[in-house]
Amino acid sequence: MYQNELDVAVDAALKAGAVIRSHMGRLRAADQELKGMNDLVTVADEAAQEVILERLTSAFPDHHVLAEEGDSSETMRTETDGYLWIVDPIDGTANFVHGVYPHAVSIGLQHEGRLAVGVVYELGRDELF
């Protein structure tokens, strides 16, 4: 029923994983900042999120998106009716910054208030759930 959405989410997660890997071991202090207490964001989070949003919004321009790192674009909405993609580009950013696992790409799709699709790509073991 949601096969196309699942395929797109998997593709987005794998592409984001490649972006994240390209940043591993290369972060400088200037590449990260604190969003809140014990809540980091890095250039890798932002770059991975951009890849995910580009893939999702090009495939589903009428869907809404709620993303961890925020965005000033009109794709960032929080309506719960219809389709809502929920994105965390690096779930476990603190681990990522310290070069330890686990950290993962997490993408979910809510449809009419119910979870329809969920994708987690754990980079340390290269496992896709």
Side-chain angles (χ1 to χ4, degrees):
M1 179 170 195
Y2 294 98
Q3 189 62 51
N4 187 41
E5 290 85 351
L6 177 61
D7 292 344
V8 170
V10 165
D11 184 56
L14 294 174
K15 286 179 178 175
V19 168
I20 294 164
R21 278 196 177 91
S22 75
H23 288 276
M24 290 177 78
R26 298 177 184 194
L27 289 179
R28 300 168 295 141
D31 295 333
Q32 53 193 304
E33 64 183 66
L34 249 113
K35 293 190 299 185
M37 191 168 153
N38 298 322
D39 194 7
L40 291 168
V41 63
T42 69
V43 295
D45 290 274
E46 293 165 349
Q49 181 167 295
E50 183 65 30
V51 166
I52 295 166
L53 294 182
E54 183 178 294
R55 182 67 180 103
L56 296 178
T57 59
S58 67
F60 309 108
D62 296 332
H63 291 192
H64 304 293
V65 178
L66 175 63
E68 172 83 11
E69 304 315 330
D71 188 348
S72 60
S73 74
E74 291 188 23
T75 62
M76 303 302 292
R77 301 180 188 140
T78 58
E79 291 91 345
T80 57
D81 60 329
Y83 291 91
L84 176 66
W85 290 97
I86 304 162
V87 174
D88 189 348
I90 304 179
D91 193 356
T93 300
N95 284 358
F96 170 72
V97 166
H98 293 97
V100 298
Y101 294 101
H103 51 270
V105 177
S106 297
I107 302 172
L109 175 63
Q110 181 177 295
H111 182 219
E112 299 299 337
R114 298 183 62 119
L115 183 61
V117 170
V119 172
V120 175
Y121 178 41
E122 200 282 312
L123 284 89
R125 295 187 178 180
D126 193 30
E127 289 185 309
L128 183 68
F129 303 94

